[in-house]
Amino acid sequence: MGTESVSNPDHYMSLAIENCRTGFAAGDGGPFGACIVRDGEVIATSHNTVLRDNDPTAHAEINAIRQAARHLRHWDLSACEIYSTTEPCPMCFSAIHWSRIGVIYMGTRIADVAALGFSELPVSNELLNELGRLKIRLVAGVAEAACRRLLADWQGQSQATAY
Amino acid sequence: MGTESVSNPDHYMSLAIENCRTGFAAGDGGPFGACIVRDGEVIATSHNTVLRDNDPTAHAEINAIRQAARHLRHWDLSACEIYSTTEPCPMCFSAIHWSRIGVIYMGTRIADVAALGFSELPVSNELLNELGRLKIRLVAGVAEAACRRLLADWQGQSQATAY
């Protein structure tokens, strides 16, 4: 990964994927996982729990940000980076902005999950960076094949519910 | 309000304002309040608790949506409308989308609070509606003078912290 500050983005993404799989096997929500890392230490790993918690805000990234902030006892996560199996939706991207996380590693893209039937807003992280005059660093295609397999496996489940 | 479906938006906004005042007097977070109404019944009233809860996602609207969803025991709030003392930020607007709330009543605008020093993304609800191909109904300027007074009073506090 050349100049990346972490030694192995694929490793952290694999933790997000693993957490995601336990979640959608249980019917917790969509096939989305996230992981937050600070100085090489994993401080939060979560997945989408919208259905389990009856909470429309309980996306993987929001859950992970809340978990990381509880862990650090501060809302400012500026020393952290986030790994998302799919590009964060505008809600999660904006939450990342508010938490001051400076780097997003992502696998699949918003368009990939919109194709599954989720009501995704077709607004990319690049566009939000531009509109918001932000400089959040975006690293796309991390462990992409494994993230794509996650979506396919979710879609193959009989109880898969898009929302 | 002519064809509005509620009899008195100013009344519901006053509940959001009142809740907001108790919150910022206690130093819970920024001067932002929200209220969610379903068939004329108030099902959630909240304010920004980012500082109190050390949670960067704890904006008034996110708190109110989570409260309303707990109350209804469902993530789908499509029969609801939300009152926000200030135009919802992109995180909150997108959460409103995910929760299927169809109407947003707002007092002041994002630009008004950006002027207070908050790291607001300069992305309006109108623009997000357009980019997201959504039709969330936006009613601006509700109890605007009272909402503007809220911002001024917050700014006058010695412990006011923008983030």
Side-chain angles (χ1 to χ4, degrees):
Chain A
M1 298 296 289
T3 58
E4 301 309 320
S5 62
V6 291
S7 55
N8 194 352
D10 282 6
H11 168 66
Y12 298 120
M13 188 63 88
S14 76
L15 300 179
I17 292 171
E18 192 180 336
N19 193 292
C20 173
R21 285 198 177 274
T22 64
F24 80 74
D28 289 351
F32 310 114
C35 175
I36 294 178
V37 177
R38 185 173 185 268
D39 295 333
E41 187 200 352
V42 176
I43 60 169
T45 318
S46 194
H47 58 268
N48 182 301
T49 58
V50 168
L51 302 180
R52 183 192 75 189
D53 297 340
N54 283 325
D55 178 355
T57 75
H59 287 199
E61 296 89 339
I62 298 281
N63 286 345
I65 287 170
R66 302 181 78 224
Q67 195 181 316
R70 268 198 306 277
H71 177 77
L72 297 179
R73 295 180 188 178
H74 206 286
W75 57 266
D76 184 341
L77 308 180
S78 49
C80 302
E81 48 202 18
I82 191 165
Y83 294 78
S84 296
T85 57
T86 290
E87 177 184 9
C89 80
M91 173 176 76
C92 296
F93 177 90
S94 307
I96 289 165
H97 156 66
W98 285 113
S99 73
R100 299 191 182 171
I101 291 175
V103 195
I104 303 172
Y105 293 87
M106 62 187 86
T108 49
R109 304 298 302 242
I110 287 173
D112 298 313
V113 297
L116 296 184
F118 285 92
S119 310
E120 296 289 339
L121 300 179
V123 184
S124 71
N125 286 193
E126 286 83 355
L127 180 58
L128 285 171
N129 245 347
E130 190 187 319
L131 292 172
R133 297 167 208 155
L134 299 177
K135 290 178 179 171
I136 297 177
R137 195 154 68 87
L138 307 174
V139 184
V142 178
E144 194 177 344
C147 290
R148 203 167 288 282
R149 209 172 309 126
L150 209 51
L151 301 185
D153 290 351
W154 176 84
Q155 205 174 16
Q157 282 191 149
S158 57
Q159 78 277 27
T161 308
Y163 44 85
Chain B
M1 299 297 290
T3 57
E4 301 309 320
S5 61
V6 292
S7 54
N8 194 352
D10 281 6
H11 168 66
Y12 298 120
M13 187 63 87
S14 76
L15 300 179
I17 292 171
E18 192 180 336
N19 193 292
C20 174
R21 285 199 178 275
T22 64
F24 81 72
D28 290 351
F32 311 113
C35 175
I36 294 178
V37 177
R38 185 173 184 268
D39 295 333
E41 186 199 352
V42 177
I43 60 169
T45 318
S46 194
H47 58 268
N48 182 302
T49 58
V50 168
L51 302 180
R52 183 192 77 188
D53 297 340
N54 284 325
D55 179 355
T57 74
H59 286 199
E61 296 89 339
I62 298 282
N63 287 344
I65 287 170
R66 300 181 79 222
Q67 195 180 317
R70 268 198 305 277
H71 177 78
L72 297 179
R73 296 180 188 177
H74 208 286
W75 58 266
D76 184 341
L77 308 178
S78 49
C80 301
E81 47 202 18
I82 191 164
Y83 294 77
S84 296
T85 58
T86 289
E87 177 183 9
C89 80
M91 173 176 75
C92 296
F93 177 89
S94 307
I96 289 165
H97 156 67
W98 285 114
S99 73
R100 300 193 180 170
I101 290 174
V103 195
I104 303 172
Y105 293 87
M106 62 186 88
T108 50
R109 302 300 301 245
I110 287 174
D112 298 313
V113 299
L116 296 183
F118 285 92
S119 310
E120 295 289 340
L121 300 180
V123 184
S124 71
N125 286 192
E126 286 82 356
L127 180 57
L128 285 170
N129 245 347
E130 192 186 320
L131 293 172
R133 299 169 205 151
L134 299 177
K135 291 180 178 169
I136 297 178
R137 195 154 68 87
L138 307 173
V139 184
V142 178
E144 194 176 345
C147 291
R148 204 167 287 283
R149 209 174 309 127
L150 209 51
L151 301 185
D153 291 350
W154 175 84
Q155 205 173 16
Q157 280 192 153
S158 57
Q159 78 276 29
T161 308
Y163 45 85

